[in-house]
Each structure stands twice: as structure tokens, then as C-alpha cells.
Amino acid sequence: MPVEITWWGHATCTLEDSGTRVLTDPLFARRLAHLRRRRGAPPPPEAAAADVVLVSHLHADHLHTPSLQRLAPGTLVLVPEGAGRSVPTLRRLDHLRLTEVAPGDRIQVGDLVVRAVSARHDGRRLPVGPHRSPALGFVVEGQARTYFAGDTGLFDSMAEEVGPVDVALLPVGGWGPFLGEGHLDAGRAAQALARLMPRSAVPVHYGTYWPIGMDGVRPHEFHAPGDEFVRLAAESAPEVAVHRLDHGQSVRPEVAR
């Protein structure tokens, strides 16, 4: 069966590879604190079906406990090291198999190997929280090698740590009009693409959530990152096939044989 990727919005994707379903950073809410979903319907119930869930870091738009609550009993959920100490609500999810991982860890899931890699992002649950947890990316190795970057800034050892990949799921925006340190915008994501040089890429983490009452503040930062990434990627990495998906849309990217 071909490898298939579905983008549900924000950083939430389903990857199907080698008969295994992988779900990234599940966020199924219409509203989260000061954010509301402005584009795309919330993912349908079948989006919560997964063999393994990858949580890149502890921010509430990536580790969202009400969304994790919707997962089927026994689902394996990989969370950053220290998550249980930093996010007490995880203790309520006793129907799940929560496993803490750190960069360099490798987990076998069916015919897949999931490898945790480092990211450059503040991975704490709260900005002033006493506990630290690493922000992670993940490389899923099966019929394809797929890199889910989570949230990260550009860093010198990115290509070395990630290694050769067929598909890259790269964040290209955010949920507000300004991106702080430790994020990729469309331009920096295109630079990352030129370093990684996968066969295919899918832009994520944009055009879904926006602060309530800020619809008129720099709206191009909400709408434009996907198209801007496509344009810049064509300049910096023309050999890479970039698939800009709509919410709920799927693609079967070309992979090495």
C-alpha cells in the first residue's frame, strides 16, 4: 500500500505507512484558550484512530489532553521526556500507553521504527514552569522515511540529526501575527528544505488557529505561509515536490524504491 499523508490542520497529520497509522500532535478542538479554529472543520472521529501518536512538545496546542482523551484504549503515545511531571493531567489518561522519549531513542511500532530527534524550541508546558522537557521531532522509518519536525527553529545540525528522508512535514507559520524564536516561517522552512532535500514536503502548522478578536491584525500571516513556502521552496529546492494540502486532504508522495 502506498504511503499516505493527511493534514487535518495545525500540526495534526495522519501518516499511513506499512499498515501502521501514525498521528502527530492531535488537536481536535474548535477553540483552545484564546485561539479559535478559523479554517477547516475539526478532524472527523476517524482521525483519532492511530497505532501510535507522536507528541512533539508540551505546549497546549501540541499536547492537548482532551484530544488525547479521544484516542482508543491501548494506543501508544510517545511524549517528550519529563512530560508526566510537567503535565499532571496526563495521569488521567490511564487508557493510553504513554511512553516518554528523548532525542536518539528508537521505538518499534509494527513494521515501523520511530526515531526521536532534537528540535530547537522551548518545550516547557509553561514559560515560567520549573520543569524542562525537550522539544522533539520524529523520523518515521518504514516504506518511506518521514520527518515530522514538530515546532523548531533552523539549526546547523538539522540535516545531520534527521538524516536522509523521503518526506518532510515542516511548520511554516504559527497561530498569531508574530513568530518568536524557535519557529520556522515560510522562508526558514524553505532553507530547512534545502538542507534536508527530501523527495517531497508538506507544509503544516499554519492557516488553522488564530487569536480571537485579531482577525484584522496582519491577516496575511494566517493565510499566506503555505503559498509562500511553495514559492520559496521552488527557488531554494526545485527538485523537491511540495504538496500544499487543504484541511482534510491527503497525498501519496513519491518515495524511494
Side-chain angles (χ1 to χ4, degrees):
M1 178 180 176
V3 173
E4 185 171 271
I5 293 166
T6 304
W7 181 52
W8 302 112
H10 204 54
T12 306
C13 300
T14 292
L15 164 66
E16 297 186 65
D17 187 338
S18 304
T20 301
R21 284 176 62 92
V22 181
L23 179 63
T24 66
D25 286 352
L27 182 57
F28 302 144
R30 291 184 180 274
R31 179 171 174 173
L32 173 64
H34 64 297
L35 306 178
R36 67 181 175 92
R37 192 175 181 110
R38 285 192 57 207
R39 184 184 288 175
E46 56 265 28
D51 298 294
V52 60
V53 174
L54 312 180
V55 174
S56 63
H57 62 288
L58 306 189
H59 292 169
D61 58 323
H62 293 260
L63 193 166
H64 185 244
T65 49
S67 294
L68 294 175
Q69 184 70 48
R70 292 172 53 178
L71 301 174
T75 302
L76 175 63
V77 181
L78 304 184
V79 298
E81 188 176 48
R85 176 183 59 183
S86 300
V87 187
T89 54
L90 285 176
R91 299 169 191 158
R92 305 174 189 168
L93 304 179
D94 54 3
H95 67 298
L96 304 176
R97 292 187 291 139
L98 296 174
T99 300
E100 297 190 1
V101 295
D105 288 347
R106 300 170 66 91
I107 306 294
Q108 185 84 37
V109 185
D111 291 331
L112 302 181
V113 172
V114 179
R115 179 165 53 92
V117 298
S118 62
R120 297 300 185 269
H121 190 70
D122 185 348
R124 291 175 294 178
R125 183 66 163 185
L126 298 172
V128 295
H131 303 306
R132 291 191 174 273
S133 236
L136 303 175
F138 294 92
V139 179
V140 179
E141 301 175 350
Q143 183 178 340
R145 290 165 297 186
T146 302
Y147 171 46
F148 169 61
D151 246 356
T152 186
L154 196 63
F155 57 99
D156 290 340
S157 62
M158 175 183 278
E160 178 183 353
E161 291 193 43
V162 171
V165 290
D166 299 294
V167 186
L169 310 179
L170 294 177
V172 301
W175 51 252
F178 303 102
L179 282 176
E181 185 179 356
H183 295 85
L184 296 180
D185 59 12
R188 291 190 290 271
Q191 294 178 49
L193 193 70
R195 298 183 185 188
L196 296 166
M197 289 305 296
R199 300 172 71 92
S200 303
V202 176
V204 302
H205 204 281
Y206 77 100
T208 307
Y209 291 91
W210 204 245
I212 295 169
M214 295 187 69
D215 292 14
V217 179
R218 297 174 64 86
H220 65 284
E221 296 288 353
F222 177 81
H223 293 285
D227 290 334
E228 183 71 358
F229 175 70
V230 172
R231 182 183 70 81
L232 295 173
E235 297 175 359
S236 61
E239 302 91 342
V240 180
V242 177
H243 305 279
R244 191 192 70 76
L245 303 179
D246 293 327
H247 292 82
Q249 188 176 9
S250 302
V251 66
R252 293 180 174 179
E254 182 182 354
V255 300
R257 297 295 181 184

